[in-house]
């Protein structure tokens, strides 16, 4: 049985984070391995508190998995601080594994989930270890700000953000367009070799969109674990997320941004 290791934060409402990763991986028929990096007190209305898991505990959790169980792909979510980021980078460096990183920087409700020094560290040290990074529009803006601080030329800035990121970090970037206006959502995958792939879906107007990024990135990791190409993995993951949003459209869980509704894939 194929396995996916998710390294991410915990969500008490189970709509996002490591709980949603576990549900997604299970729905896709793979076995989920979990390493929590942070505990959060949150619900559908927002995040109340974040507590990082000590770095030695993160290290021991990862080591305990790799010492015993074959890992076919890794999904990374919330990395709260630079100590945790360093542990994750060290654990993955030199391993020939597909790695998908959803760079969770700020919660939907606006709560910061990553320290500024950690943001800079993961861009410099963790991004290059990944097969694909999946930022939304606000996260893409943070990445571009970092690159400009690093001396990105004006000529490079004239290219699309995805092209700049893929070229600079040497990895693929899936720029998600869910935060943009309009009735059609447009995601573009920029691969490190210069190829690009566009994915469009009709927007489903819903109050239940909590955990879409977690679901998408976990599903992409599942595809890579099964040997699919990156573009195929993204296509399958997009279909899963669309169906989960549609299924949850009239769901009533909590009074805020509710969860998606996943159904097993046969």
């Amino acid at each position: 049985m194929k396995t996916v290791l998710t390294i991410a934060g915990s969500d008490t409402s189970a709509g996002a984070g490591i709980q949603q990763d576990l549900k997604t991986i299970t729905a896709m028929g793979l076995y989920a391995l979990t390493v929590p990096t942070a505990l959060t007190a949150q619900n559908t209305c927002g995040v109340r508190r974040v507590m990082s898991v000590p770095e030695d505990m993160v290290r021991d959790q990862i080591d305990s998995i790799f010492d015993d169980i074959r890992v076919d792909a890794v999904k990374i979510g919330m990395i709260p601080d630079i100590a945790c980021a360093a542990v994750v980078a060290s654990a993955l460096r030199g391993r020939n594994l597909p790695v998908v990183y959803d760079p969770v920087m700020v919660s939907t409700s606006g709560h910061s989930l990553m320290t500024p020094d950690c943001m800079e560290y993961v861009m410099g040290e963790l991004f290059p270890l990944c097969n694909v990074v999946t930022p939304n529009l606000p996260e893409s803006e943070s990445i571009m700000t970092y690159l400009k601080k690093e001396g990105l030329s004006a000529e490079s800035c004239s290219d699309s953000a995805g092209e700049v990121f893929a070229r600079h970090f040497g990895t693929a970037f899936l720029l998600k367009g869910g935060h943009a206006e309009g009735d059609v959502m447009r995601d573009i995958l920029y691969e490190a070799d210069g190829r690009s792939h566009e994915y469009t879906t009709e927007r489903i107007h819903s109050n239940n969109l909590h955990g879409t990024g977690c679901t998408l990135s976990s599903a992409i990791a599942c595809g890579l674990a099964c040997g699919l190409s990156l573009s195929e993995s993204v296509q399958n993951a997009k279909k899963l997320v669309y169906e989960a949003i549609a299924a949850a459209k009239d769901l009533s869980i909590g009074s805020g941004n509710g969860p998606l509704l996943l159904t097993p894939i046969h």
Side-chain angles (χ1 to χ4, degrees), residues 72-85:
D72 294 303
V74 176
K75 176 262 166 88
I76 305 171
M78 179 183 173
I79 302 291
D81 54 46
I82 194 168
C84 178

Side-chain angles (χ1 to χ4, degrees), residues 6-67:
T6 169
I7 304 171
S10 170
D11 173 6
T12 46
S13 72
I18 210 161
Q19 289 89 342
Q20 184 67 5
D21 296 342
L22 192 154
K23 287 187 284 184
T24 301
I25 296 163
T26 302
M28 296 197 73
L30 281 70
Y31 189 83
L33 306 161
T34 60
V35 170
T37 58
L39 303 180
T40 68
Q42 66 174 292
N43 54 30
T44 63
C45 297
V47 178
R48 296 184 181 182
R49 184 181 174 191
V50 176
M51 183 176 73
S52 299
V53 174
E55 61 182 291
D56 58 338
M57 185 59 183
V58 175
R59 181 183 298 108
D60 286 346
Q61 289 182 91
I62 296 174
D63 288 347
S64 68
I65 294 296
F66 281 125
D67 286 348

Side-chain angles (χ1 to χ4, degrees), residues 204-252:
I204 300 172
H205 295 280
S206 171
N207 292 324
N208 299 320
L209 299 171
H210 186 47
T212 51
C214 304
T215 307
L216 181 69
S217 52
S218 294
I220 294 171
C222 288
L224 295 177
C226 293
L228 299 181
S229 69
L230 180 55
S231 59
E232 290 174 318
S233 298
V234 172
Q235 183 67 55
N236 289 348
K238 290 282 296 176
K239 181 176 184 292
L240 176 81
V241 171
Y242 184 84
E243 292 174 351
I245 293 173
K249 186 175 183 296
D250 300 316
L251 197 65
S252 180

Side-chain angles (χ1 to χ4, degrees), residues 95-168:
R95 295 186 185 275
N96 186 25
L97 283 173
V99 178
V100 180
Y101 184 18
D102 179 20
V104 182
M105 297 174 179
V106 179
S107 72
T108 304
S109 59
H111 191 103
S112 179
L113 300 175
M114 181 186 285
T115 60
D117 61 340
C118 183
M119 288 187 190
E120 294 193 3
Y121 182 89
V122 298
M123 292 179 202
E125 300 295 330
L126 200 51
F127 280 9
L129 300 177
C130 300
N131 290 67
V132 62
V133 182
T134 64
N136 57 30
L137 290 180
E139 290 158 353
S140 293
E141 290 171 3
S142 295
I143 296 168
M144 185 60 80
T145 298
Y146 164 80
L147 290 181
K148 288 178 180 177
K149 278 178 56 180
E150 293 295 300
L152 186 70
S153 68
E155 292 78 13
S156 295
C157 289
S158 66
D159 293 337
S160 72
E163 291 174 326
V164 173
F165 298 164
R167 183 167 60 245
H168 181 86

